[in-house]
Amino acid sequence: MTVTLSATLAANEDIERRRRAGERVLHLAFGEAGLPVHPALRDRLAAASEHNGYGPVAGAAGLRESAAGYWDRRGLPTDPELVVCGPGSKSLLYGLLLAIGGDIVLPMPSWVSYAAQADLVGSRPVLVPAPPGEGGVPDPERVAAEVRAARAAGRTVSSVLVTLPDNPTGRLASPGCVARLVEVARELDLTIISDEIYRDLVHDPALPYTSPADLAPERTVITTGLSKSLALGGWRIGVVRLPTGAHALRGKLLAVASEIWSAPAAPVQEAAAYAFGEPEELVERVNLSRRLHGTLARAVHACFTAVGARVPEPQGGFYLYPDLGHLGVGGSAELTKVLLEEHGIGVLPGHAFGDDPAAARVRVAVSLLYGASPEQRMTALTSEEPLRLPWIADSLDHLSRGLASLALRRA
């Protein structure tokens, strides 16, 4: 088995090396939330810093109860005993793949780590494109056909994964698409893994949001964390909500966890318990973050559409997925190389997300445009007009000029 560095982390390190060497590179390749830690969370972490014991494998009772309340408030009654905590939702997803077993259906494109983790555990991913205009949910009709074909060939397909809203496309699958996938999952007895780490960053809170757990609580696993909504990527904390009655799956997941991470970091759990309780000051922070992510995503969307790119309008998180095939640059690897080396624009190639390498599609993350210092980022977060801030305006101008230059050369 060949294991390589995650495409997102590799790109981040390459761009940072180039910046240290004096190159100007607009960093649109890394999905970090790009905002400071809220002081209330820093205080909670510091106050718990003497908690240096391992703690329960499933996570501290206070954190599990708080996470259960988080889902209760979203219309999903949750038993704290069916909540498991880990050092980030990424670790929990890996543990779930091991605990569930079998092959898994993934949307195409989808986050780089899903297929990589499946390979690591010996699961062969079944890649199914999302329906046109959707994102994060594989086309239900094609899922049914692909799973039946795989099973006829002797494979064991046990689960299907969705991302709501999606990374890399920034789209939120419609309630109808989710409902049809749930029907297929029931027909084929598939466990649904719903990665909802961007749920609280849907740009328009009025946009209809349907979790598979709303429709199929008996077969849906939800994962989430605080790295996106509250910019705690470096703290590594995640939680999973297991289906009603899934005590056997819980036992398998805890067995995996006990051998890989033992228990999440105790001080971080204390801060996370406070965060999942959603006190007023953190709700306000998430609301401001959502507004900023949406504002910048729409501005970057306008930069790409100005040069004729086909790019679905972003609806959540801080991502876009433009198609620049009309420029004739080549596939995603060639396009990424040209953007970086000739125009100082760092993005990720679509093939890293399981997409067709010949397609000129790239994943763009806007969240590192907010500023180079905590002060600039806070100013961006609280500004009514963040696009007018000099450092953000300059970055958008750099992007517009680079894309215009690329389009002009390829015309």
Side-chain angles (χ1 to χ4, degrees), residues 192-274:
I192 304 170
I193 302 173
S194 188
D195 183 348
E196 301 186 11
I197 198 163
Y198 297 99
R199 173 169 185 158
D200 296 331
L201 296 181
V202 175
H203 300 159
D204 179 2
L207 194 66
Y209 187 103
T210 298
S211 168
D214 292 320
L215 307 175
E218 80 286 355
R219 67 179 57 252
T220 301
V221 177
I222 301 177
T223 63
T224 192
L226 301 175
S227 61
K228 309 304 180 181
S229 61
L230 285 168
L232 297 181
W235 288 21
R236 310 311 302 144
I237 190 71
V239 291
V240 58
R241 178 188 186 273
L242 299 174
T244 305
H247 298 287
L249 177 57
R250 179 182 186 273
K252 290 178 182 178
L253 180 57
L254 291 182
V256 170
S258 71
E259 301 297 352
I260 297 180
W261 61 77
S262 299
V268 178
Q269 289 190 74
E270 291 285 338
Y274 181 70

Side-chain angles (χ1 to χ4, degrees), residues 57-320:
V57 176
L63 173 52
R64 290 187 287 108
E65 290 167 3
S66 183
Y70 167 89
W71 279 304
D72 287 344
R73 290 187 291 276
R74 284 153 181 79
L76 295 170
T78 301
D79 180 355
E81 287 300 309
L82 290 173
V83 174
V84 175
C85 313
S89 62
K90 189 173 185 177
S91 301
L92 289 165
L93 285 163
Y94 181 74
L96 285 166
L97 291 178
L98 283 167
I100 294 170
D103 293 342
I104 185 169
V105 180
L106 299 176
M108 185 176 72
S110 57
W111 181 44
V112 298
S113 289
Y114 297 144
Q117 288 190 351
D119 289 340
L120 285 172
V121 304
S123 171
R124 287 184 291 169
V126 179
L127 300 177
V128 177
E134 306 276 358
V137 174
D139 187 308
E141 306 307 325
R142 295 184 64 172
V143 169
E146 292 286 348
V147 170
R148 290 191 176 102
R151 287 176 174 172
R155 293 171 62 180
T156 300
V157 184
S158 305
S159 57
V160 57
L161 187 146
V162 301
T163 314
L164 303 167
D166 185 38
N167 170 15
T169 67
R171 298 290 289 175
L172 176 64
S174 66
C177 184
V178 174
R180 179 59 188 133
L181 183 74
V182 165
E183 292 176 4
V184 170
R186 281 205 174 106
E187 291 169 12
L188 300 176
D189 193 24
L190 296 171
T191 297
I192 304 170
I193 302 173
S194 188
D195 183 348
E196 301 186 11
I197 198 163
Y198 297 99
R199 173 169 185 158
D200 296 331
L201 296 181
V202 175
H203 300 159
D204 179 2
L207 194 66
Y209 187 103
T210 298
S211 168
D214 292 320
L215 307 175
E218 80 286 355
R219 67 179 57 252
T220 301
V221 177
I222 301 177
T223 63
T224 192
L226 301 175
S227 61
K228 309 304 180 181
S229 61
L230 285 168
L232 297 181
W235 288 21
R236 310 311 302 144
I237 190 71
V239 291
V240 58
R241 178 188 186 273
L242 299 174
T244 305
H247 298 287
L249 177 57
R250 179 182 186 273
K252 290 178 182 178
L253 180 57
L254 291 182
V256 170
S258 71
E259 301 297 352
I260 297 180
W261 61 77
S262 299
V268 178
Q269 289 190 74
E270 291 285 338
Y274 181 70
F276 278 114
E278 298 184 288
E280 184 177 347
E281 69 267 27
L282 296 189
V283 170
E284 180 187 17
R285 170 60 65 91
V286 173
N287 289 339
L288 290 173
S289 301
R290 180 193 302 116
R291 183 183 69 177
L292 179 61
H293 297 322
T295 299
L296 266 292
R298 288 188 292 273
V300 171
H301 179 266
C303 293
F304 278 93
T305 57
V307 297
R310 289 182 298 158
V311 51
E313 185 177 352
Q315 296 172 305
F318 25 82
Y319 304 115
L320 303 92

Side-chain angles (χ1 to χ4, degrees), residues 25-69:
V25 179
L26 191 64
H27 199 342
L28 302 174
F30 197 43
E32 186 169 282
L35 293 168
V37 177
H38 193 285
L41 292 172
R42 288 203 310 266
D43 293 345
R44 296 278 168 163
L45 185 70
S49 60
E50 292 186 356
H51 295 186
N52 61 342
Y54 283 105
V57 176
L63 173 52
R64 290 187 287 108
E65 290 167 3
S66 183

